[in-house]
Amino acid sequence: MKKFFGNPHIALALDQMIERKRIPQTLLFSGPEGVGKATLARIFAARLLGVDPDKLQQDDLSLEANQTLIADREKWTSDKRNEDPLFFSSHPDFLTFPPDGPLRQLTIQQMRLLKERASFKPLKGDWRIFLIDSIDRANEQAANSLLKTLEEPPSHLILILTARNAYDLLPTIRSRTVPFHFSRLAEDEMKTFLAEHPTLDQPDLRRGLAEGSPGMAVALDLETYARRRTAMLALLKVASGTDSFGSWMKHSDSIGMRRTEKFESYLEVLYGLIEDVVRLGYGHAVIRNEDVRGDLESLARRVSFDWLRAAVAKVDDLVEFGRRNIQKSIALDAFAVQLRKR
């Protein structure tokens, strides 16, 4: 199998499946964002289909052309998106179904299209392979529609599902898959990966912030990340009672004006900062945001475990609210107010 960084036991298991000609019809790849779940799925599919792996990598959602297409579709009306469900297909027997629309969800229209295309026989070889990227972002209707395909898949169909957390899926979906959990890469693996990408600037900073996620290390816009982190750090300082609301308002106003930025992009940074505060509070030396350690140490000394637990719970709530298209700045203001009262 083409060179793949990290999780060698999974790559080996997939190799052995091919060699033994015992291919499960539904596989579930779960694990953190950016650890290579979809990349390995495409490498696996390329070997089954007997094509150059680079051809299928054209469906990588992180590629600029694909990102542009996905972003452009957010401006479409829901009716227009429903009439033209999103999928990528760089090979006639390999289809990728990614989240679509402003809320980045897998839709029932996509799953209906999947069911329709699943009945088609392979144009070449023995298999048709469908990658459902981020199945944990399927809405309820889409998940139930997919379940019907999982119950009786055509003999020529292989489905590969990816998810951050397998336990966010319906148990009935999970039970019909062969699961593989992807771990973050070790420090030496990340160093090797970055050494093979010499064009990336500030590799040490990227390695720390990515924390074992090669995809994140490559995709990270350091300037944008720094801006979001400054805002989320200001939010935590206000929520903990360290700073006044006045210090947060300029960030709140700026976030409110950036209507095209995904709410989740701020929440992911917020999760990372809270995780670092927890680590510092309980004696862990290694943190992700090493360059703002002083600020995080001050927060760790000030907040209690109950406060941290409440903060995580409220960020979890914000993730769910974000999928309903709420106003970012108002939601974050409420987060600070509620935690400041504790």
Side-chain angles (χ1 to χ4, degrees):
M1 193 168 286
K2 183 181 177 181
K3 186 174 183 181
F4 179 73
F5 290 90
N7 294 283
H9 60 293
I10 298 178
L12 176 61
L14 296 177
D15 274 339
Q16 291 174 341
M17 286 178 181
I18 295 173
E19 290 168 3
R20 296 170 182 172
K21 297 182 179 180
R22 299 183 63 179
I23 315 295
Q25 284 198 263
T26 308
L27 300 99
L28 172 59
F29 293 176
S30 65
E33 191 73 15
V35 293
K37 302 184 295 294
T39 298
L40 187 56
R42 289 187 290 269
I43 294 172
F44 177 61
R47 185 169 172 191
L48 284 173
L49 297 174
V51 300
D52 183 348
D54 289 338
K55 180 176 179 61
L56 300 193
Q57 295 301 340
Q58 295 173 29
D59 293 347
D60 187 341
L61 302 185
S62 68
L63 295 179
E64 184 176 356
N66 295 340
Q67 285 189 332
T68 299
L69 173 61
I70 292 170
D72 286 345
R73 288 178 61 92
E74 293 183 16
K75 304 169 188 174
W76 294 11
T77 64
S78 59
D79 287 343
K80 184 177 179 181
R81 285 195 301 273
N82 291 342
E83 291 170 2
D84 184 16
L86 177 62
F87 70 95
F88 293 95
S89 183
S90 55
H91 184 280
D93 290 329
F94 181 76
L95 276 66
T96 299
F97 295 87
D100 190 23
L103 302 184
R104 295 288 172 90
Q105 290 187 329
L106 287 162
T107 66
I108 188 171
Q109 288 78 17
Q110 288 175 294
M111 294 303 99
R112 286 172 176 167
L113 179 64
L114 180 151
K115 184 177 181 181
E116 174 190 320
R117 296 295 180 96
S119 63
F120 298 171
K121 295 289 186 180
L123 292 180
K124 302 176 181 179
D126 298 325
W127 304 104
R128 298 206 82 205
I129 305 169
F130 293 173
L131 169 60
I132 307 175
D133 209 348
S134 301
I135 184 59
D136 44 345
R137 298 197 66 92
N139 61 36
E140 184 177 357
Q141 289 180 317
N144 287 327
S145 179
L146 174 64
L147 185 58
K148 295 176 183 178
T149 304
L150 294 181
E151 288 171 348
E152 296 182 4
S155 60
H156 59 263
L157 181 66
I158 295 175
L159 290 168
I160 306 176
L161 320 179
T162 74
R164 288 194 182 187
N165 185 352
Y167 293 95
D168 285 340
L169 308 182
L170 293 173
T172 45
I173 289 180
R174 207 169 56 242
S175 66
R176 286 170 170 79
T177 68
V178 174
F180 291 93
H181 180 74
F182 286 62
S183 301
R184 296 183 182 275
L185 273 62
E187 188 75 3
D188 59 337
E189 291 174 319
M190 285 296 293
K191 287 180 179 178
T192 301
F193 174 82
L194 288 167
E196 297 201 12
H197 293 76
T199 59
L200 290 174
D201 62 328
Q202 302 187 62
D204 290 339
L205 179 59
R206 288 179 181 275
R207 188 176 70 251
L209 293 175
E211 200 175 36
S213 170
M216 183 180 293
V218 171
L220 198 58
D221 182 326
L222 294 176
E223 183 177 346
T224 300
Y225 179 84
R227 173 175 55 78
R228 291 171 180 164
R229 185 179 63 184
T230 297
M232 294 300 95
L233 191 54
L235 178 68
L236 288 178
K237 289 180 179 179
V238 171
S240 67
T242 303
D243 284 350
S244 67
F245 265 95
S247 63
W248 158 246
M249 292 312 298
K250 63 179 181 180
H251 299 291
S252 178
D253 292 342
S254 176
I255 291 170
M257 290 187 292
R258 296 179 183 273
R259 297 180 180 178
T260 59
E261 278 195 318
K262 295 297 178 187
F263 194 26
E264 281 189 5
S265 64
Y266 287 94
L267 298 182
E268 287 172 359
V269 176
L270 185 55
Y271 267 131
L273 290 171
I274 294 172
E275 183 179 359
D276 280 349
V277 172
V278 172
R279 290 178 178 180
L280 290 169
Y282 291 88
H284 292 271
V286 179
I287 61 172
R288 178 180 299 176
N289 295 276
E290 180 63 39
D291 51 325
V292 291
R293 175 182 283 269
D295 290 314
L296 296 173
E297 286 176 337
S298 296
L299 281 168
R301 289 191 294 267
R302 183 175 181 89
V303 299
S304 65
F305 177 76
D306 286 341
W307 187 95
L308 289 166
R309 184 167 57 182
V312 171
K314 292 186 183 302
V315 179
D316 288 342
D317 290 341
L318 289 177
V319 170
E320 292 301 316
F321 292 148
R323 293 176 182 177
R324 301 172 197 170
N325 208 21
I326 61 170
Q327 291 189 4
K328 299 188 289 286
S329 56
I330 293 176
L332 293 171
D333 290 349
F335 171 90
V337 170
Q338 292 164 4
L339 283 175
R340 195 177 176 95
K341 292 178 179 178
R342 294 187 66 85

